[in-house]
Amino acid sequence: MKMKYQKPKGTADILPPYSNEWQFVEKNARETFALYNYDEIRTPIFESFEVFSRSAGDTSDIVTKEMYDFDDKGGRHIALRPEGTAGVVRAFVENKLYGPEHQKPVKVYYMGPMFRYERPQSGRLREFHQIGVEAFGSVSPKMDVETIAMAMDFLKKVKVTGLKLVINTLGDKESRDNYRQALIDYLEPHYDELSDDSKERLHKNPLRVLDSKDKNDQKFVADAPEILDYLTDNAREHFESVKNQLEALGIEYIVDSTMVRGLDYYNHTIFEIMVANSPLGKGEVTICAGGRYNGLVEELGGPEVPGVGFGLGVERLLLLLNEETQDMLQTKQLDFYVVGIGDAVQNETLKIVHELRQMGFATEQDYLDRKPKAQFKSADKLNAKFVVTVGESEMNDHVFKLKNMMTGDEQTIALKEIRTLKDLLK
RNA sequence: GCGGUAGUGGCGAAGUGGUUAACGCACCGGAUUGUGGCUCCGGCACGCGUGGGUUCGAUUCCCACCUACCGCCCCA
């Protein structure tokens, strides 16, 4: 009896030719980030559970229900990373990247798998991938803006259209505390009318009530006090500055004062980049989200070092690549296919294939002892630009045939002239 | 965690409580003894997600489970 193995629920195999799309996205990310002087950082895919629970906030959904965690054989409580920032911050602190020998700000990016234990759905998996960046050591709004600009640049580079930048501020601690109280004062009288979820959130994390999808809740939210009215002077200045600079760069944005992030560590600027009319589903989908997190480094045992960053969902982004890009990336490109006819020419074709590859041409041959017809068929399937044919007669005459698959023209060329082929493709 | 829909060859997709499970694509072979994209001919599921049950008999009916997709929650 044969066992049938299946990939774990909520995971995906990334197969050719789609893996080309991944490489395309990753390559553009690296190139874009390099322009902004970011370097790559690689951190473990799993961390101590506390790294995430400490940073994301004990009441966040990620910690309470979505963490992919387990005890290892040594009894350690481990969690597969649900997002990238916490691990990077942990590494920043542990390796003392805040030390004086490191240029500030410290700017890093990462790309890799993340895990959340939840019900798979379109654009949502248990193992998914994010590309993210973090910049440590600057409180300047310039840093916030640069981060946002970089995300937009990257998305434009991979030709995603219909981008919509939404920003908001959560202010500093004082702003937030004041606002939190104002929000509780406002919602408290309506307690009995709120949805169960929101009742739960009201005292634990009232900001999340703003985020409620419940229609009834939204009625209250519409008239709720706005964070913008509770900002301290400092927080207001910061936000104004961010907006001014975005305008200076010609980056369009809208302010959504009800936008909240799922992670508790954010303060001051938060932002999301959404795309409308996506194939992901109806309405808008967030493909990139981030913001400032000034207390997080301290929270994880480091000094008082501010940070800004964003995370971007690769699977979601891939669904948004336009058709031309997808076609381009999924089309096989081969320079030469070498057809051998008869056993006697085996070594001859082997040498030609090798030679062509040495010359820098993507070259393929038959490995299944198939007839010329079948070999040509393969050449066609592989989109080979040229086919080199060698049979016994050619071998004896020290020549080969060269066929242009586009035009169908075929000519005979002396074997010793094979090097002249390098002028064929350019 | 909750609700809905679905699961037939490599892919797409018909189908019926009972002899050999349509068809299309792909693939392989032949027509064309050494040449692709067109055409024609032939081949290609001891099997209908897994495990139970009902039945003389189930891919088809029932139950459970698994997985996928969609929605809720939440989010990338």
Side-chain angles (χ1 to χ4, degrees):
Chain A
M1 160 139 65
K2 250 194 210 167
M3 265 303 273
K4 264 197 182 169
Y5 295 104
Q6 294 181 308
K7 60 186 178 299
K9 188 185 182 80
T11 62
D13 296 315
I14 299 161
L15 309 170
Y18 304 102
S19 42
N20 291 334
E21 295 180 2
W22 285 74
Q23 292 185 6
F24 169 78
V25 163
E26 288 164 2
K27 178 166 172 278
N28 278 106
R30 291 177 193 285
E31 286 173 4
T32 305
F33 301 162
L35 296 177
Y36 285 79
N37 191 35
Y38 277 72
D39 290 306
E40 183 176 10
I41 184 171
R42 302 192 187 198
T43 66
I45 279 170
F46 58 87
E47 299 271 356
S48 162
F49 180 87
E50 285 70 31
V51 169
F52 303 117
S53 60
R54 219 20 188 331
S55 62
D58 293 334
T59 61
S60 70
D61 280 22
I62 285 189
V63 172
T64 57
K65 48 185 259 203
E66 293 173 1
M67 202 83 98
Y68 213 122
D69 66 325
F70 57 91
D71 289 328
D72 73 6
K73 290 179 180 175
R76 286 169 282 256
H77 192 185
I78 298 294
L80 303 180
R81 61 185 189 191
E83 54 96 29
T85 302
V88 172
V89 171
R90 192 230 80 231
F92 177 84
V93 172
E94 186 170 344
N95 297 289
K96 300 187 168 59
L97 299 186
Y98 49 76
E101 72 272 37
H102 296 101
Q103 283 294 313
K104 304 298 174 314
V106 172
K107 299 158 119 181
V108 294
Y109 71 85
Y110 57 83
M111 45 186 72
M114 306 291 161
F115 304 83
R116 288 182 201 176
Y117 195 87
E118 61 179 349
R119 198 71 175 266
Q121 241 172 90
S122 76
R124 301 167 62 175
L125 294 163
R126 286 187 172 181
E127 180 186 26
F128 61 103
H129 297 74
Q130 280 191 350
I131 293 175
V133 310
E134 316 292 348
F136 298 98
S138 167
V139 293
S140 169
K142 209 193 289 182
M143 198 71 247
D144 308 31
V145 171
E146 182 183 280
T147 305
I148 292 171
M150 187 166 80
M152 296 295 277
D153 267 5
F154 166 65
L155 292 170
K156 279 182 200 145
K157 204 161 179 180
V158 296
K159 299 193 173 62
V160 173
T161 52
L163 300 175
K164 181 172 133 193
L165 172 64
V166 182
I167 64 172
N168 189 25
T169 179
L170 298 175
D172 48 25
K173 182 158 191 319
E174 191 185 337
S175 312
R176 202 159 160 173
D177 287 347
N178 291 342
Y179 179 57
R180 184 190 146 95
Q181 195 50 54
L183 203 54
I184 292 177
D185 291 345
Y186 167 78
L187 291 170
E188 195 80 77
H190 302 291
Y191 184 81
D192 292 331
E193 301 166 73
L194 291 173
S195 68
D196 290 345
D197 282 335
S198 290
K199 281 176 185 160
E200 176 91 16
R201 294 181 191 124
L202 183 54
H203 288 284
K204 275 193 188 162
N205 191 348
L207 296 213
R208 299 210 58 78
V209 176
L210 298 180
D211 219 20
S212 176
K213 300 297 184 294
D214 186 275
K215 279 207 189 86
N216 200 43
D217 288 352
Q218 284 173 348
K219 281 193 300 195
F220 299 119
V221 170
D223 296 322
E226 292 196 3
I227 178 81
L228 301 178
D229 295 326
Y230 291 82
L231 296 178
T232 59
D233 289 346
N234 179 37
R236 180 185 314 283
E237 258 172 51
H238 186 95
F239 193 49
E240 288 304 316
S241 185
V242 166
K243 291 195 288 185
N244 285 338
Q245 291 178 32
L246 284 173
E247 281 154 31
L249 290 180
I251 297 174
E252 288 183 32
Y253 65 87
I254 61 172
V255 175
D256 178 355
S257 62
T258 66
M259 183 171 75
V260 182
R261 309 271 35 254
L263 301 162
D264 290 351
Y265 53 64
Y266 286 109
N267 43 51
H268 285 290
T269 318
I270 56 173
F271 70 95
E272 292 189 8
I273 299 173
M274 322 214 277
V275 177
N277 297 326
S278 76
L280 291 173
K282 49 212 173 200
E284 294 170 324
V285 181
T286 302
I287 53 171
C288 178
R292 182 167 275 283
Y293 46 85
N294 286 351
L296 184 56
V297 174
E298 265 182 293
E299 188 67 36
L300 288 179
E304 212 182 312
V305 176
V308 199
F310 68 72
L312 188 150
V314 179
E315 279 84 356
R316 290 187 175 184
L317 174 58
L318 290 172
L319 289 173
L320 297 170
L321 292 181
N322 64 44
E323 258 179 64
E324 299 91 279
T325 305
Q326 292 188 29
D327 288 347
M328 187 257 294
L329 292 168
Q330 290 177 19
T331 302
K332 195 84 185 165
Q333 286 300 331
L334 191 68
D335 297 320
F336 286 95
Y337 190 98
V338 177
V339 171
I341 304 165
D343 288 341
V345 304
Q346 287 295 315
N347 286 354
E348 194 68 12
T349 53
L350 193 61
K351 283 194 294 190
I352 291 173
V353 167
H354 191 66
E355 179 72 27
L356 288 168
R357 286 172 177 164
Q358 296 300 310
M359 288 165 67
F361 292 127
T363 306
E364 189 52 294
Q365 61 180 325
D366 172 65
Y367 303 90
L368 304 172
D369 290 326
R370 293 185 303 171
K371 300 188 171 168
K373 181 190 173 79
Q375 294 189 46
F376 267 88
K377 224 171 167 180
S378 288
D380 193 50
K381 272 277 147 52
L382 296 172
N383 276 322
K385 297 190 184 78
F386 294 94
V387 169
V388 165
T389 309
V390 178
E392 288 185 39
S393 58
E394 286 85 356
M395 185 172 66
N396 295 334
D397 295 345
H398 303 291
V399 298
F400 60 85
K401 285 199 171 137
L402 178 71
K403 181 168 186 174
N404 181 325
M405 293 298 274
M406 201 68 131
T407 64
D409 295 340
E410 193 169 47
Q411 52 180 314
T412 301
I413 297 179
L415 192 52
K416 62 185 178 195
E417 303 294 330
I418 190 167
R419 287 254 147 205
T420 64
L421 292 183
K422 67 177 183 291
D423 301 326
L424 263 184
L425 294 157
K426 192 63 224 356

